[in-house]
Amino acid sequence: MSAREPKVVFERVSKTFPKKKEVLQVLQDIDLSVAEGEFVCLLGPSGCGKSTLLNIAGGFEEPTSGTVRIDGQLVDGPNARRVFVFQEYGIFPWASVWDNVVLGVRHRPRSEQHEIAQGVIDLVGLTGFEKAYPMELSGGMKQRVEVARALAVSPDVIYMDEPFGALDSLTRLTMRAELIRIWNTRKPTVLFVTHDVDEAIQIAERIVVFSARPGRVAGVVDVPLEHPRDLSSHAYADIKRELYGLLGVVQAV
Amino acid sequence: MNEFVLPSLLLVLSLGALPLVSRFRSGVRTFVMPTLVILATLFAWHLACAALGTRVFPSPMQTAAAFGELFESQRLLGDVVASLFRVTFGFLLAAGIGIPLGLVLGWSTRSFEALNPIIQGLRPISPIAWIPIAILWFGIGDGAGVFLIFLSTFFPVTVGTTAAVRNISLVHRRSALNFGVQGLELFRRVVLPAALPQIITSLRIALGVAWLVIVAAEMVGMDSGLGYLINDARNAGSRYDLVVATMIVIGAIGIVLDYLIRRLERFDEVRWGYVQR
């Protein structure tokens, strides 16, 4: 893992929001380095600032202090080299699946657009739904469109903000397996925000655990398990115990 | 006595049939039940006229005869065309200016801050209150009608479009930013299509208002159109049969206008805006 080049580097990133008379510290001194092609989960309770950190990395928000660099370049705004997969559906409901997917490659020649779009649509398993409109699709399929739209631009980094949060638990399992399959095909760098401990262990290579507000890195846990992962193995249970410990949550109910 | 017995019987029958018909499959139901209600209303109207023995207010039969007279005199068509012409031009003018203006106001906070107060100040003034000024500026005729319809539709369309743009979800704005959609392309690919369902709704409301206002305007300050026809029928010997027949024509055209504009809601590009989300 250490052989890989650092792709995304967070340096002492802090974020505060003004709130009436006081200031709300959301993130405090986040230092984090994500390698090229790595799949990293940001895990933490609601309101710990993990989504804010993602928005800062995406260029949608500015850090109060500190920097985010991608390939050594300072992030200073949104860019199609690093794309978001949103939780609430960010795909456009007024456009067909095809038109949504070609959004990021709309300036390329037609034949190239066609090749790219068909490639990613096939990859996410939506072949035959090119002309469908999002309202005709299930929640899981909409999220596949969103993933296809992101993959179409061959981004350096994909940010996923609880992308499966709105799906039912069975669809969520399928989508995780699909995401891993797709990630193995293209190997993009992925930063994946979740508050679901199991989700993090199932998909991530490395898990960054956040403390409650103000968000700080409480610990980093490697997941050295091969896919497909056995969810009932001892190693899985050990990692889970470690994560709950870092989160300060009692595991037994 | 017969003029009471038969209509009473039919009234009771048509109302009594309602619970029976309500069990039919929905295709039949949605057609038969409204028809029965309309028939019952006509019978009740007839009974009320007969019971009161009025000579001024027309019965359904007299109104039907007045329809014949209207069609024969060939006056109806001219007045319908006059009213529709004013509504169409005023409405298109308002949409042509109001939609682009609303898009700009919805997107640019500065233009909104500058223009919204004057728009909100002019909006509550009834278009009817403008009639004297409309006549002063345009004289009695189509110009004043088009102007009044423009006034009464411009505000709903502009305000509706502005609100539609301001309601575009943050996720869609961010998606657009993320994929580098900006400038005119942003309007064409995101702002306009995202706002379109709500824009169509505001057009629909505006057209309804236009059809209400044109009749009032023609009654007060014009010498043709359906509103003028109503006034003329009353002034020319209290022909209330013609008055009621014209009112029914106005209602029917209103239904057709609404039906036509609702067809816009069926396009794939906007259907998403009308389903439960």
Side-chain angles (χ1 to χ4, degrees), chain A residues 21-77:
Chain A
K21 279 175 189 167
E22 42 190 330
V23 261
L24 194 65
Q25 178 105 32
V26 181
L27 290 168
Q28 197 178 347
D29 295 330
I30 306 292
D31 280 310
L32 179 66
S33 179
V34 180
E36 169 106 52
E38 196 181 7
F39 197 127
V40 173
C41 265
L42 309 181
L43 175 70
S46 298
C48 72
K50 54 195 193 299
S51 290
T52 306
L53 189 67
L54 210 59
N55 280 324
I56 290 171
F60 289 124
E61 289 182 39
E62 280 182 23
T64 311
S65 63
T67 56
V68 185
R69 288 174 195 277
I70 294 175
D71 289 330
Q73 284 202 306
L74 207 61
V75 172
D76 57 358

Side-chain angles (χ1 to χ4, degrees), chain B residues 181-241:
Chain B
V181 188
Q182 48 190 306
L184 273 181
E185 201 184 21
L186 183 68
F187 265 80
R188 190 170 60 80
R189 279 185 186 271
V190 182
V191 180
L192 184 63
L196 207 49
Q198 236 183 301
I199 292 176
I200 290 176
T201 302
S202 69
L203 287 177
R204 197 181 156 203
I205 292 168
L207 190 59
V209 171
W211 195 238
L212 295 177
V213 168
I214 194 62
V215 173
E218 287 165 348
M219 289 180 78
V220 183
M222 259 153 261
D223 57 3
S224 64
L226 290 166
Y228 175 77
L229 180 58
I230 286 183
N231 239 10
D232 197 38
R234 194 199 60 179
N235 295 339
S238 294
R239 290 295 305 277
Y240 279 91
D241 54 341

Side-chain angles (χ1 to χ4, degrees), chain A residues 55 60 79-80 82-84 86 88-91 93-94 104 106 133 135-136 149, chain B residues 171-172 174-181 185 189-190 193-194 268-269 271-272 275:
Chain A
N55 280 324
F60 289 124
N79 187 307
R82 35 184 195 267
V83 294
F84 252 81
F86 298 95
E88 323 94 287
Y89 309 123
I91 54 170
W94 53 84
R106 62 192 182 283
Y133 279 80
M135 62 175 288
E136 298 156 356
R149 180 177 75 171
Chain B
V171 195
H172 290 150
R174 284 193 166 172
S175 287
L177 275 175
N178 203 164
F179 289 96
V181 188
E185 201 184 21
R189 279 185 186 271
V190 182
D268 277 341
E269 288 79 4
R271 239 170 358 120
W272 62 273
V275 294

Side-chain angles (χ1 to χ4, degrees), chain B residues 67-90:
Chain B
F67 263 113
E69 193 181 325
L70 275 179
F71 282 116
E72 257 171 49
S73 71
Q74 299 193 335
R75 209 188 132 176
L76 185 65
L77 187 66
D79 283 322
V80 168
V81 169
S83 295
L84 281 178
F85 173 84
R86 290 159 191 162
V87 165
T88 309
F89 271 76

Side-chain angles (χ1 to χ4, degrees), chain A residues 68-212:
Chain A
V68 185
R69 288 174 195 277
I70 294 175
D71 289 330
Q73 284 202 306
L74 207 61
V75 172
D76 57 358
N79 187 307
R81 299 303 312 149
R82 35 184 195 267
V83 294
F84 252 81
V85 170
F86 298 95
Q87 175 187 9
E88 323 94 287
Y89 309 123
I91 54 170
F92 298 146
W94 53 84
S96 65
V97 168
W98 185 272
D99 288 343
N100 266 294
V101 171
V102 295
L103 179 69
V105 291
R106 62 192 182 283
H107 296 310
R108 308 237 191 128
R110 282 249 166 224
S111 59
E112 213 174 304
Q113 279 185 27
H114 196 275
E115 196 181 319
I116 293 169
Q118 197 62 59
V120 290
I121 286 173
D122 293 347
L123 180 63
V124 301
L126 282 175
T127 316
F129 289 95
E130 292 83 357
K131 286 182 182 151
Y133 279 80
M135 62 175 288
E136 298 156 356
L137 305 177
S138 68
M141 287 163 89
K142 281 184 215 168
Q143 213 55 296
R144 284 169 195 261
V145 179
E146 183 112 29
V147 171
R149 180 177 75 171
L151 290 172
V153 297
S154 313
D156 294 338
V157 194
I158 298 180
Y159 302 114
M160 308 185 90
D161 189 1
E162 301 196 23
F164 308 144
L167 305 178
D168 67 79
S169 58
L170 292 176
T171 312
R172 219 178 293 162
L173 269 181
T174 318
M175 289 300 288
R176 284 174 201 157
E178 283 287 282
L179 181 61
I180 291 306
R181 177 181 66 78
I182 292 163
W183 175 68
N184 272 322
T185 326
R186 300 263 175 128
K187 285 282 179 185
T189 310
V190 180
L191 273 171
F192 188 110
V193 161
T194 183
H195 59 246
D196 185 328
V197 173
D198 283 295
E199 183 165 73
I201 311 172
Q202 283 162 29
I203 58 179
E205 288 184 286
R206 199 151 61 99
I207 301 169
V208 180
V209 182
F210 281 72
S211 65

